[in-house]
Amino acid sequence: MISTSNVTLRVGKKALFEDVNIKFTEGNCYGLIGANGAGKSTFLKILSGQLEPTNGEVIITPGERLSFLQQDHFKYDEYPVLDTVMMGNARLYEIMKEKEAIYAKEDFSDEDGIRASELEAEFAQMNGWEADSDAASLLNGLGIETGLHYKKMGELDGPDKVKVLLARALFGNPDILLMDEPTNHLDIESIQWLENFIATRANAVILVSHDRAFIDNTTFRTIEIELGKIYDYKVKYSEYVELRKERREQQLRAFENQQKKLADTEAFIERFRYKATKSVQVQSRIKQLEKVERIEVDEVDTAMLSLKFPPAPRSGSYPVIAEDVAKRYGDHLIFEHATFTINRGDKVAFVGKNGEGKSTLVKCIMGEITDFTGKLQLGHNVKIGYFAQNQAQLLDENMTVFDTVDYVAQGDIRLKIRDILGAFMFGGEASDKKVKVLSGGEKTRLAMIRLLLEPVNLLILDEPTNHLDMRSKDVLKDALKEFDGTVIVVSHDREFLDGLVDKVYEFGNKRVIEHLGGIYDFLEHKKMDSLCELERSTQTTTSMEGNAAEPTRNKLSYEARKEQSKAIKKVEKAIAESEKKITELENSIAAIEAKLATPEGAADVSLYTEYSELKKKLSDTMDLWTEQTLELEELNAANS
């Protein structure tokens, strides 16, 4: 569907990519992987046509429609939310607006009638659905309530804007979908909705994401960008990690062997440079050195280390105690009856849909919000370290990266500052850059490093991983696991939370509910409760007078639940059979594609017939699988 032919991009004298040849085919979802600065976002811009390569070209199959979700792309503030989504199909939006203008005329002429009919015909040819209802469905799936659909984009907060732009990218089922960090600012429910959308409705997808769980759940081809080269691992991300480890070890062995040979050669040249009897051998070795193609190794990997926090000052046994805490903005209730205790050394997660009060409660704990009701008490000698998305704005822009960190570092850790900076992608000359020339993501990473080195005993991190690549997240996660203080993390990143937190506080339905165990224990518990892995929110209402909430629907009887359980198991078995058949068909198709790639196969007409039949069977089976999945969701919803 889309391919590159000898694509090269040079920035000054440096080649960011060189002679890249790669094909992205129908029905595949590709994860684009690489360290920060490797060029992932730039490569997406080249594929989308926004950026011209220095050499080579991008080829898109004629008639295919491409959609591109970018980060920090807020240029629609004056447009209504629903219109912004429908702009995802530019021609469709133009037709709708022209029709509206014609029908709004007071002096509607015959020519207007003819033009309106032409537009209606074109609209019908382009669409088999009601555009506005499809746009609304996407918005609702991503958690944008109907009441916001007619507001202007400028009235929404940042996370909701990102959701609208994601809906815009998905609108009309584009043939080729490019996405740059689609899960940033999305809550867990919205991420799971997006995973389901990609699995059931997307065609060809190429995405950049630092969310391990998301990329592993959605992609099954991994494309790595490293040192200007593209490596196509024909496996999903978790398998790629193992394969890359093997390739990395081979690279390092080859690099070390070459370095030894180069050192020996240079030593020979230096030793015999001025001896006439060895001049021929010296010149021969100099020519050898000039011809050697140097093996490069990604320095980011060699910079990884185990980062440790300074010892946390000892706090009281209970750093945070909340008793019947509630917060309202005017008549709007955010949450109430929040009662919990966080013990010294606990590492806990705040999760839930955006807008349910996670950051609000954090601000209450921080003392930034004081007009809540109930009792909120911090323990003895609690020293808070706080990371929020605006943290980067508080850095001194005239200081260098190194000095920014050196200013807060204490003791022996000062001897390791350059190693720490390297682990967070500020190795070499980057450590001497002024803060004011850094990108927004780089400033965020620098603010995180600075926080990690301050002597605190209660860390509160609000979406700390949004601008960290996977290697940086590993460093941060390991450091937090070793931290001997208390940690509260507001995050949607399941992989980051897994193995880090031992309690989860769920925000929803105006309540804060404690769940013991890790993040996947929590998600599994929600699935067992038939809430579809938190994808749907329980729609119960709570009493505004403070009485206990009453269920809005009765539970099924025991016998009815038993029958329902049988029906669920039957559908689950059917889904498993469909998935097995899909795998078999995909393997058969892949085998034929391999044959068709050979001169002999390309000349075999029968292979094309077999290929078309298998593709039709795969499409039919996918449709059946979709119907079965929807049926299972309905059964689960009825059983909850």
Side-chain angles (χ1 to χ4, degrees):
M1 299 186 76
I2 182 170
S3 61
T4 65
S5 175
N6 299 317
V7 164
T8 297
L9 180 68
R10 294 189 178 279
V11 181
K13 295 181 179 180
K14 179 184 177 184
L16 198 56
F17 312 109
E18 194 157 22
D19 293 329
V20 172
N21 294 282
I22 190 167
K23 294 180 180 180
F24 300 94
T25 58
E26 182 179 3
N28 277 317
C29 185
Y30 301 83
L32 203 56
I33 301 296
N36 283 354
K40 302 183 294 296
S41 297
T42 302
F43 190 66
L44 287 183
K45 287 179 181 177
I46 290 174
L47 293 179
S48 73
Q50 287 190 10
L51 185 63
E52 286 288 330
T54 309
N55 293 307
E57 62 177 335
V58 175
I59 304 157
I60 299 179
T61 304
E64 305 290 9
R65 189 168 71 85
L66 182 146
S67 183
F68 185 18
L69 171 71
Q70 295 175 263
Q71 287 293 301
D72 302 322
H73 195 54
F74 302 105
K75 65 178 185 180
Y76 301 99
D77 281 359
E78 296 305 313
Y79 292 93
V81 167
L82 205 60
D83 281 18
T84 302
V85 175
M86 289 187 286
M87 286 167 140
N89 188 323
R91 179 55 192 151
L92 176 66
Y93 185 73
E94 289 171 3
I95 292 171
M96 292 178 63
K97 286 302 168 186
E98 189 175 350
K99 283 198 310 179
E100 284 179 15
I102 290 173
Y103 289 132
K105 286 184 176 181
E106 293 182 4
D107 53 342
F108 191 83
S109 65
D110 291 342
E111 288 79 8
D112 289 329
I114 293 170
R115 180 56 181 158
S117 297
E118 291 172 348
L119 292 171
E120 294 285 4
E122 185 178 354
F123 183 87
Q125 187 176 9
M126 290 179 66
N127 285 270
W129 85 100
E130 289 292 335
D132 52 355
S133 64
D134 192 67
S137 177
L138 287 169
L139 290 168
N140 291 333
L142 286 165
I144 302 295
E145 298 174 354
T146 305
L148 297 177
H149 293 187
Y150 298 96
K151 287 185 177 292
K152 287 191 175 181
M153 284 285 285
E155 298 178 56
L156 303 187
D157 61 17
D160 279 349
K161 282 185 179 180
V162 172
K163 290 182 180 181
V164 175
L165 293 177
L166 177 56
R168 179 182 180 276
L170 301 177
F171 179 70
N173 289 343
D175 303 295
I176 304 163
L177 179 60
L178 310 180
M179 294 192 289
D180 191 0
E181 291 292 357
T183 64
N184 273 7
H185 303 292
L186 293 187
D187 49 42
I188 291 176
E189 295 130 317
S190 299
I191 292 172
Q192 291 175 325
W193 179 91
L194 179 57
E195 287 176 356
N196 184 62
F197 184 98
I198 290 173
T200 59
R201 294 177 59 183
N203 198 351
V205 181
I206 307 167
L207 62 87
V208 172
S209 177
H210 294 151
D211 185 331
R212 271 189 180 87
F214 174 76
I215 206 166
D216 211 38
N217 290 341
T218 54
T219 67
F220 34 92
R221 290 278 289 274
T222 305
I223 310 297
E224 182 186 40
I225 300 178
E226 183 188 38
L227 298 172
K229 294 184 174 64
I230 297 275
Y231 300 91
D232 184 0
Y233 292 82
K234 296 178 174 61
V235 294
K236 66 191 304 182
Y237 178 78
S238 53
E239 296 172 61
Y240 146 80
V241 171
E242 296 304 316
L243 291 176
R244 189 188 188 285
K245 192 183 297 181
E246 294 173 10
R247 183 173 70 82
R248 174 70 182 169
E249 290 170 355
Q250 293 169 358
Q251 274 185 326
L252 284 174
R253 283 197 295 271
F255 175 78
E256 289 164 359
N257 289 337
Q258 187 182 69
Q259 290 299 303
K260 185 177 184 304
K261 289 179 182 178
L262 292 174
D264 290 345
T265 302
E266 288 168 351
F268 180 90
I269 293 170
E270 191 61 33
R271 181 179 177 187
F272 298 109
R273 184 184 296 274
Y274 303 108
K275 290 197 175 183
T277 56
K278 297 287 185 179
S279 62
V280 174
Q281 293 95 320
V282 167
Q283 289 302 314
S284 174
R285 280 165 173 74
I286 290 174
K287 288 179 181 178
Q288 285 177 13
L289 280 180
E290 291 172 349
K291 291 179 181 179
V292 168
E293 185 173 341
R294 305 292 174 114
I295 297 172
E296 291 185 281
V297 177
D298 188 352
E299 293 181 5
V300 170
D301 279 1
T302 62
M304 296 302 290
L305 80 164
S306 176
L307 174 63
K308 292 187 177 180
F309 286 91
R314 188 170 179 82
S315 71
S317 298
Y318 309 108
V320 182
I321 300 174
E323 295 180 14
D324 205 31
V325 175
K327 173 63 183 138
R328 287 178 170 81
Y329 288 105
D331 294 331
H332 180 56
L333 176 67
I334 305 299
F335 57 78
E336 63 180 350
H337 304 311
T339 299
F340 58 87
T341 299
I342 297 178
N343 302 316
R344 183 178 61 231
D346 278 352
K347 295 178 174 65
V348 307
F350 284 4
V351 304
K353 293 176 68 173
N354 289 337
E356 294 286 356
K358 302 185 298 295
S359 295
T360 299
L361 184 53
V362 163
K363 290 176 181 177
C364 293
I365 295 171
M366 290 285 300
E368 294 181 10
I369 293 177
T370 57
D371 60 342
F372 56 85
T373 59
K375 183 180 179 182
L376 187 54
Q377 180 180 343
L378 296 184
H380 172 68
N381 197 38
V382 167
K383 299 183 184 301
I384 297 177
Y386 179 46
F387 178 86
Q389 288 304 300
N390 67 346
Q391 210 71 22
Q393 300 169 11
L394 306 178
L395 297 173
D396 184 341
E397 294 205 329
N398 293 313
M399 293 180 73
T400 66
V401 169
F402 181 90
D403 289 341
T404 299
V405 176
D406 186 49
Y407 186 77
V408 297
Q410 298 180 9
D412 293 343
I413 199 73
R414 297 187 66 189
L415 303 176
K416 299 181 179 180
I417 289 177
R418 293 203 181 273
D419 289 335
I420 294 168
L421 290 172
F424 281 88
M425 316 304 137
F426 289 113
E429 295 177 359
S431 65
D432 297 319
K433 285 183 179 179
K434 287 285 183 73
V435 171
K436 61 186 175 185
V437 304
L438 301 180
S439 68
E442 288 173 326
K443 288 179 181 177
T444 300
R445 295 204 313 276
L446 183 58
M448 174 63 70
I449 299 170
R450 179 177 166 137
L451 172 65
L452 299 185
L453 300 181
E454 293 180 356
V456 299
N457 49 32
L458 173 58
L459 275 171
I460 302 178
L461 310 176
D462 194 349
E463 298 292 1
T465 63
N466 274 356
H467 294 287
L468 297 183
D469 69 10
M470 292 179 185
R471 299 167 193 175
S472 298
K473 286 199 288 187
D474 285 341
V475 175
L476 174 60
K477 181 175 176 177
D478 288 343
L480 290 172
K481 287 165 74 172
E482 294 298 319
F483 178 55
D484 57 357
T486 307
V487 180
I488 299 172
V489 187
V490 180
S491 179
H492 64 260
D493 191 330
R494 296 153 293 174
E495 186 68 27
F496 181 73
L497 295 175
D498 183 33
L500 173 61
V501 302
D502 41 39
K503 278 196 290 190
V504 175
Y505 290 95
E506 177 192 4
F507 288 68
N509 298 319
K510 319 300 182 188
R511 291 286 195 272
V512 181
I513 300 172
E514 180 181 271
H515 299 265
L516 298 180
I519 188 65
Y520 281 102
D521 294 324
F522 164 69
L523 290 175
E524 183 62 26
H525 170 71
K526 302 301 291 186
K527 186 166 64 174
M528 289 170 60
D529 278 351
S530 302
L531 292 179
C532 299
E533 295 181 275
L534 201 60
E535 194 169 325
R536 302 176 189 271
S537 297
T538 307
Q539 299 299 316
T540 56
T541 58
T542 57
S543 167
M544 300 300 287
E545 286 74 35
N547 295 328
E550 293 293 332
T552 58
R553 58 177 179 239
N554 294 325
K555 292 288 183 181
L556 295 172
S557 69
Y558 172 77
E559 288 300 322
R561 289 179 69 84
K562 189 175 178 181
E563 289 301 313
Q564 193 88 336
S565 179
K566 286 182 181 178
I568 288 172
K569 288 180 180 178
K570 183 178 178 181
V571 177
E572 286 175 340
K573 183 179 179 182
I575 289 173
E577 290 173 353
S578 293
E579 289 173 344
K580 181 181 178 183
K581 188 174 180 181
I582 287 168
T583 301
E584 292 171 352
L585 288 167
E586 286 176 337
N587 289 339
S588 299
I589 288 170
I592 292 180
E593 286 176 341
K595 292 179 182 177
L596 289 172
T598 65
E600 297 81 8
D604 189 348
V605 178
S606 65
L607 282 179
Y608 290 95
T609 304
E610 186 180 356
Y611 183 78
S612 297
E613 290 173 353
L614 286 171
K615 290 286 283 185
K616 176 66 168 59
K617 287 180 181 178
L618 178 60
S619 178
D620 291 342
T621 309
M622 287 292 290
D623 289 343
L624 176 61
W625 177 86
T626 301
E627 292 171 5
Q628 292 165 339
T629 303
L630 292 172
E631 182 182 355
L632 180 61
E633 287 183 3
E634 291 171 0
L635 287 170
N636 279 330
N639 198 36
S640 64

